[in-house]
Amino acid sequence: MQRAADLFRAGSKVVGVVPTMGYFHEGHLSLVRLAKQRSDVVITTIFVNPTQFAPHEDFSRYPRDLERDARLAESAGSDILFVPSVEEMYEVPYQTYVEVGGLTSVLEGKARPDHFRGVTTVVAKIFNITKPHVAVFGQKDAQQAAVIRQMTKDMNFDLKIIIAPIVREADGLAMSSRNVYLSPDERKQSVALSASLRRAEAMIAAGERRSLVITGEVMQMIGAQPSAMIDYVSISQNSTLEEVSELRSGMTVLVSLAVRFGPTRLIDNTVVEVR
Ligand code: PAJ
């Protein structure tokens, strides 16, 4: 892969990379299409990265379907699929990690210690292997996008990060490889996540400025679903991810949430400009 990447660079091709863990849905494919618009050669990577899963999480049962992924990636415009093995990526004895500070101490970082260390380590490795000019990530994982931006800046990676909008199912549920874990009943209840974010947007548009009132309403809508267990509902500054208690006009805030349905953990968010 590294030699192929060198050849593309030498041939003055603009190289775009889309890092993924596979089991593609329209969200992933939208990133590939966007990468294709912004580059000559698109490298899609599929690697279920063990270092970003905690021991109790779903690493071993994470859904996989390489053949289908390969077909879908190609039809979306991907030129090369890079599917390394765990042994290749973490050759024993593996000893080096990339860790972003501040931004990782809140939200997902608080709920999933060491998660972002695994993400930034593998993404840094993927950048070094594929040598891209452009890398595309999804707003679905808002904090991950912010953390990767920060790492790219701090570590002087010579590439542009592009963040693509959240792709949703017709009823509003944000697409995720983990949605397949939901039972039919949980799938119905899960609509409350996006519905509650739309409510938060409407409340802010109508002039509500107290975060607690907004998050309270969101929690009530989700809490009304019998199988939902809320991890967090948060309103933070979109740029710093610092918690905001009182919204002010001119602010751009990130309303984000994580909710469990049994063992399945879902996240969603919306970015709102306060007028
Ligand atoms: P994965 O969950 O497979 O997601 C790959 C990329 O697809 C991420 O940038 C994610 O934000 C984006 N994505 C997922 N669902 C989306 C949706 N509904 N709409 C738009 N984009 C969506 O995120 C990871 O893998 C890993 O942490 C990774 C960055 C590959 C590092 O291992």
Side-chain angles (χ1 to χ4, degrees), residues 22-24 46 64-75 81 83:
Y23 211 69
F24 291 158
I46 299 180
R64 297 161 211 243
D65 190 341
L66 186 53
E67 255 176 55
R68 177 173 172 274
D69 284 352
R71 239 183 6 253
L72 290 175
E74 191 180 348
S75 69
L81 206 56
V83 191

PDB file of all heavy atoms in Angstrom, residues 22-24 46 64-75 81 83:
ATOM      1  N   GLY A  22     -15.934  -0.499   7.923  1.00  0.00           N
ATOM      2  CA  GLY A  22     -16.694  -1.383   7.041  1.00  0.00           C
ATOM      3  C   GLY A  22     -18.155  -1.542   7.428  1.00  0.00           C
ATOM      4  O   GLY A  22     -18.701  -0.790   8.220  1.00  0.00           O
ATOM      5  N   TYR A  23     -18.781  -2.550   6.818  1.00  0.00           N
ATOM      6  CA  TYR A  23     -20.223  -2.807   6.928  1.00  0.00           C
ATOM      7  C   TYR A  23     -20.979  -1.563   6.446  1.00  0.00           C
ATOM      8  O   TYR A  23     -21.712  -0.923   7.187  1.00  0.00           O
ATOM      9  CB  TYR A  23     -20.637  -3.220   8.342  1.00  0.00           C
ATOM     10  CG  TYR A  23     -21.821  -4.168   8.297  1.00  0.00           C
ATOM     11  CD1 TYR A  23     -21.661  -5.456   7.803  1.00  0.00           C
ATOM     12  CD2 TYR A  23     -23.091  -3.765   8.693  1.00  0.00           C
ATOM     13  CE1 TYR A  23     -22.738  -6.327   7.717  1.00  0.00           C
ATOM     14  CE2 TYR A  23     -24.171  -4.625   8.609  1.00  0.00           C
ATOM     15  CZ  TYR A  23     -23.976  -5.897   8.118  1.00  0.00           C
ATOM     16  OH  TYR A  23     -25.046  -6.752   8.020  1.00  0.00           O
ATOM     17  N   PHE A  24     -20.768  -1.268   5.165  1.00  0.00           N
ATOM     18  CA  PHE A  24     -21.160   0.021   4.606  1.00  0.00           C
ATOM     19  C   PHE A  24     -22.659   0.261   4.554  1.00  0.00           C
ATOM     20  O   PHE A  24     -23.448  -0.639   4.293  1.00  0.00           O
ATOM     21  CB  PHE A  24     -20.591   0.165   3.183  1.00  0.00           C
ATOM     22  CG  PHE A  24     -19.097   0.311   3.155  1.00  0.00           C
ATOM     23  CD1 PHE A  24     -18.382   0.000   2.012  1.00  0.00           C
ATOM     24  CD2 PHE A  24     -18.407   0.775   4.266  1.00  0.00           C
ATOM     25  CE1 PHE A  24     -17.005   0.136   1.976  1.00  0.00           C
ATOM     26  CE2 PHE A  24     -17.029   0.912   4.241  1.00  0.00           C
ATOM     27  CZ  PHE A  24     -16.328   0.590   3.091  1.00  0.00           C
ATOM     28  N   ILE A  46     -10.749  -0.263   5.262  1.00  0.00           N
ATOM     29  CA  ILE A  46     -11.660  -1.009   6.140  1.00  0.00           C
ATOM     30  C   ILE A  46     -10.799  -1.711   7.171  1.00  0.00           C
ATOM     31  O   ILE A  46      -9.974  -2.570   6.837  1.00  0.00           O
ATOM     32  CB  ILE A  46     -12.473  -2.062   5.368  1.00  0.00           C
ATOM     33  CG1 ILE A  46     -13.336  -1.390   4.289  1.00  0.00           C
ATOM     34  CG2 ILE A  46     -13.357  -2.867   6.335  1.00  0.00           C
ATOM     35  CD1 ILE A  46     -14.170  -2.364   3.472  1.00  0.00           C
ATOM     36  N   ARG A  64     -19.436  -7.536   9.846  1.00  0.00           N
ATOM     37  CA  ARG A  64     -18.464  -7.484   8.743  1.00  0.00           C
ATOM     38  C   ARG A  64     -19.060  -8.136   7.494  1.00  0.00           C
ATOM     39  O   ARG A  64     -19.749  -9.147   7.599  1.00  0.00           O
ATOM     40  CB  ARG A  64     -17.187  -8.258   9.128  1.00  0.00           C
ATOM     41  CG  ARG A  64     -16.459  -7.649  10.338  1.00  0.00           C
ATOM     42  CD  ARG A  64     -15.502  -8.638  10.987  1.00  0.00           C
ATOM     43  NE  ARG A  64     -15.406  -8.362  12.423  1.00  0.00           N
ATOM     44  CZ  ARG A  64     -14.302  -7.996  13.056  1.00  0.00           C
ATOM     45  NH1 ARG A  64     -13.173  -7.893  12.407  1.00  0.00           N
ATOM     46  NH2 ARG A  64     -14.324  -7.753  14.354  1.00  0.00           N
ATOM     47  N   ASP A  65     -18.780  -7.571   6.310  1.00  0.00           N
ATOM     48  CA  ASP A  65     -19.169  -8.185   5.036  1.00  0.00           C
ATOM     49  C   ASP A  65     -18.290  -7.572   3.949  1.00  0.00           C
ATOM     50  O   ASP A  65     -18.690  -6.636   3.248  1.00  0.00           O
ATOM     51  CB  ASP A  65     -20.656  -7.928   4.747  1.00  0.00           C
ATOM     52  CG  ASP A  65     -21.146  -8.750   3.561  1.00  0.00           C
ATOM     53  OD1 ASP A  65     -20.297  -9.215   2.767  1.00  0.00           O
ATOM     54  OD2 ASP A  65     -22.370  -8.914   3.427  1.00  0.00           O
ATOM     55  N   LEU A  66     -17.094  -8.131   3.836  1.00  0.00           N
ATOM     56  CA  LEU A  66     -16.087  -7.536   2.966  1.00  0.00           C
ATOM     57  C   LEU A  66     -16.493  -7.548   1.492  1.00  0.00           C
ATOM     58  O   LEU A  66     -16.270  -6.576   0.776  1.00  0.00           O
ATOM     59  CB  LEU A  66     -14.741  -8.253   3.170  1.00  0.00           C
ATOM     60  CG  LEU A  66     -13.556  -7.634   2.429  1.00  0.00           C
ATOM     61  CD1 LEU A  66     -13.416  -6.154   2.743  1.00  0.00           C
ATOM     62  CD2 LEU A  66     -12.272  -8.382   2.781  1.00  0.00           C
ATOM     63  N   GLU A  67     -17.112  -8.651   1.054  1.00  0.00           N
ATOM     64  CA  GLU A  67     -17.471  -8.740  -0.371  1.00  0.00           C
ATOM     65  C   GLU A  67     -18.467  -7.657  -0.770  1.00  0.00           C
ATOM     66  O   GLU A  67     -18.306  -6.990  -1.792  1.00  0.00           O
ATOM     67  CB  GLU A  67     -18.102 -10.108  -0.654  1.00  0.00           C
ATOM     68  CG  GLU A  67     -17.154 -11.036  -1.378  1.00  0.00           C
ATOM     69  CD  GLU A  67     -17.769 -12.399  -1.559  1.00  0.00           C
ATOM     70  OE1 GLU A  67     -18.881 -12.475  -2.120  1.00  0.00           O
ATOM     71  OE2 GLU A  67     -17.135 -13.378  -1.120  1.00  0.00           O
ATOM     72  N   ARG A  68     -19.496  -7.524   0.073  1.00  0.00           N
ATOM     73  CA  ARG A  68     -20.510  -6.502  -0.203  1.00  0.00           C
ATOM     74  C   ARG A  68     -19.870  -5.104  -0.136  1.00  0.00           C
ATOM     75  O   ARG A  68     -20.119  -4.253  -0.987  1.00  0.00           O
ATOM     76  CB  ARG A  68     -21.637  -6.634   0.830  1.00  0.00           C
ATOM     77  CG  ARG A  68     -22.716  -5.597   0.717  1.00  0.00           C
ATOM     78  CD  ARG A  68     -23.866  -5.916   1.668  1.00  0.00           C
ATOM     79  NE  ARG A  68     -24.841  -4.831   1.712  1.00  0.00           N
ATOM     80  CZ  ARG A  68     -24.749  -3.771   2.507  1.00  0.00           C
ATOM     81  NH1 ARG A  68     -23.727  -3.632   3.339  1.00  0.00           N
ATOM     82  NH2 ARG A  68     -25.682  -2.831   2.468  1.00  0.00           N
ATOM     83  N   ASP A  69     -19.036  -4.869   0.879  1.00  0.00           N
ATOM     84  CA  ASP A  69     -18.360  -3.577   1.024  1.00  0.00           C
ATOM     85  C   ASP A  69     -17.538  -3.235  -0.216  1.00  0.00           C
ATOM     86  O   ASP A  69     -17.552  -2.098  -0.689  1.00  0.00           O
ATOM     87  CB  ASP A  69     -17.433  -3.581   2.253  1.00  0.00           C
ATOM     88  CG  ASP A  69     -18.210  -3.464   3.567  1.00  0.00           C
ATOM     89  OD1 ASP A  69     -19.436  -3.235   3.519  1.00  0.00           O
ATOM     90  OD2 ASP A  69     -17.581  -3.607   4.632  1.00  0.00           O
ATOM     91  N   ALA A  70     -16.824  -4.232  -0.736  1.00  0.00           N
ATOM     92  CA  ALA A  70     -15.947  -3.995  -1.892  1.00  0.00           C
ATOM     93  C   ALA A  70     -16.783  -3.540  -3.091  1.00  0.00           C
ATOM     94  O   ALA A  70     -16.429  -2.587  -3.791  1.00  0.00           O
ATOM     95  CB  ALA A  70     -15.169  -5.260  -2.229  1.00  0.00           C
ATOM     96  N   ARG A  71     -17.911  -4.217  -3.282  1.00  0.00           N
ATOM     97  CA  ARG A  71     -18.814  -3.862  -4.380  1.00  0.00           C
ATOM     98  C   ARG A  71     -19.356  -2.438  -4.217  1.00  0.00           C
ATOM     99  O   ARG A  71     -19.319  -1.623  -5.131  1.00  0.00           O
ATOM    100  CB  ARG A  71     -19.990  -4.848  -4.375  1.00  0.00           C
ATOM    101  CG  ARG A  71     -20.131  -5.627  -5.652  1.00  0.00           C
ATOM    102  CD  ARG A  71     -21.324  -6.556  -5.700  1.00  0.00           C
ATOM    103  NE  ARG A  71     -22.278  -6.541  -4.645  1.00  0.00           N
ATOM    104  CZ  ARG A  71     -22.406  -7.494  -3.715  1.00  0.00           C
ATOM    105  NH1 ARG A  71     -21.589  -8.530  -3.703  1.00  0.00           N
ATOM    106  NH2 ARG A  71     -23.344  -7.420  -2.786  1.00  0.00           N
ATOM    107  N   LEU A  72     -19.847  -2.159  -3.012  1.00  0.00           N
ATOM    108  CA  LEU A  72     -20.465  -0.849  -2.762  1.00  0.00           C
ATOM    109  C   LEU A  72     -19.448   0.282  -2.881  1.00  0.00           C
ATOM    110  O   LEU A  72     -19.736   1.334  -3.452  1.00  0.00           O
ATOM    111  CB  LEU A  72     -21.102  -0.829  -1.367  1.00  0.00           C
ATOM    112  CG  LEU A  72     -22.348  -1.691  -1.201  1.00  0.00           C
ATOM    113  CD1 LEU A  72     -22.814  -1.680   0.251  1.00  0.00           C
ATOM    114  CD2 LEU A  72     -23.471  -1.205  -2.123  1.00  0.00           C
ATOM    115  N   ALA A  73     -18.239   0.045  -2.335  1.00  0.00           N
ATOM    116  CA  ALA A  73     -17.200   1.086  -2.383  1.00  0.00           C
ATOM    117  C   ALA A  73     -16.872   1.408  -3.836  1.00  0.00           C
ATOM    118  O   ALA A  73     -16.787   2.580  -4.217  1.00  0.00           O
ATOM    119  CB  ALA A  73     -15.955   0.632  -1.629  1.00  0.00           C
ATOM    120  N   GLU A  74     -16.711   0.378  -4.641  1.00  0.00           N
ATOM    121  CA  GLU A  74     -16.363   0.596  -6.042  1.00  0.00           C
ATOM    122  C   GLU A  74     -17.478   1.365  -6.752  1.00  0.00           C
ATOM    123  O   GLU A  74     -17.214   2.312  -7.501  1.00  0.00           O
ATOM    124  CB  GLU A  74     -16.099  -0.746  -6.734  1.00  0.00           C
ATOM    125  CG  GLU A  74     -15.469  -0.550  -8.095  1.00  0.00           C
ATOM    126  CD  GLU A  74     -15.177  -1.848  -8.825  1.00  0.00           C
ATOM    127  OE1 GLU A  74     -15.258  -2.925  -8.186  1.00  0.00           O
ATOM    128  OE2 GLU A  74     -14.888  -1.780 -10.031  1.00  0.00           O
ATOM    129  N   SER A  75     -18.731   0.975  -6.482  1.00  0.00           N
ATOM    130  CA  SER A  75     -19.835   1.647  -7.173  1.00  0.00           C
ATOM    131  C   SER A  75     -19.961   3.106  -6.736  1.00  0.00           C
ATOM    132  O   SER A  75     -20.502   3.933  -7.464  1.00  0.00           O
ATOM    133  CB  SER A  75     -21.152   0.898  -6.955  1.00  0.00           C
ATOM    134  OG  SER A  75     -21.541   1.019  -5.609  1.00  0.00           O
ATOM    135  N   LEU A  81      -9.213  -0.398  -2.288  1.00  0.00           N
ATOM    136  CA  LEU A  81      -9.679  -0.785  -0.965  1.00  0.00           C
ATOM    137  C   LEU A  81      -8.460  -1.268  -0.177  1.00  0.00           C
ATOM    138  O   LEU A  81      -7.726  -2.132  -0.652  1.00  0.00           O
ATOM    139  CB  LEU A  81     -10.681  -1.939  -1.151  1.00  0.00           C
ATOM    140  CG  LEU A  81     -11.756  -2.149  -0.098  1.00  0.00           C
ATOM    141  CD1 LEU A  81     -12.571  -0.897   0.106  1.00  0.00           C
ATOM    142  CD2 LEU A  81     -12.675  -3.296  -0.544  1.00  0.00           C
ATOM    143  N   VAL A  83      -7.424  -3.089   3.189  1.00  0.00           N
ATOM    144  CA  VAL A  83      -8.018  -3.880   4.278  1.00  0.00           C
ATOM    145  C   VAL A  83      -6.903  -4.611   5.036  1.00  0.00           C
ATOM    146  O   VAL A  83      -6.678  -5.803   4.824  1.00  0.00           O
ATOM    147  CB  VAL A  83      -9.034  -4.908   3.728  1.00  0.00           C
ATOM    148  CG1 VAL A  83      -9.838  -5.533   4.867  1.00  0.00           C
ATOM    149  CG2 VAL A  83      -9.988  -4.267   2.726  1.00  0.00           C
TER     150      VAL A  83
END
